[in-house]
Amino acid sequence: MIQYALTCKDGHKFDSWFKSVSAFDQLKSSNMVTCPICGGSQVEKSIMTPRVGQRSNIKSDAVTQN
């Protein structure tokens, strides 16, 4: 699954999930991606910031001494 931030031609911003990049492309070319606010099908991907998870190998600054 992939999430896209989308914007319609009237400037409404919304997010939507798609099965894959190609699924989004196919739905968009069939005018099946529509704005939930105005119903317009002229929708484009917006610039998104990536969601990067926290690294699991970060060392703690605290040092335990016995």
Side-chain angles (χ1 to χ4, degrees), residues 17-47:
W17 288 90
F18 298 91
K19 185 175 181 176
S20 64
V21 174
S22 60
F24 169 80
D25 293 337
Q26 184 177 22
L27 289 169
K28 185 177 181 301
S29 68
S30 299
N31 292 324
M32 295 182 73
V33 180
T34 58
C35 174
I37 299 165
C38 67
S41 61
Q42 292 182 353
V43 174
E44 299 296 329
K45 294 179 200 172
S46 299
I47 296 174

Side-chain angles (χ1 to χ4, degrees), residues 1-5 7 9-10 12-13 20-23 25 31 33 36-37 41 44-45 50 54 61 63-64:
M1 295 291 286
I2 186 166
Q3 180 183 20
Y4 284 129
T7 305
K9 71 173 180 100
D10 292 329
H12 302 125
K13 297 181 183 300
S20 64
V21 174
S22 60
D25 293 337
N31 292 324
V33 180
I37 299 165
S41 61
E44 299 296 329
K45 294 179 200 172
Q54 186 177 14
D61 289 337
V63 176
T64 306

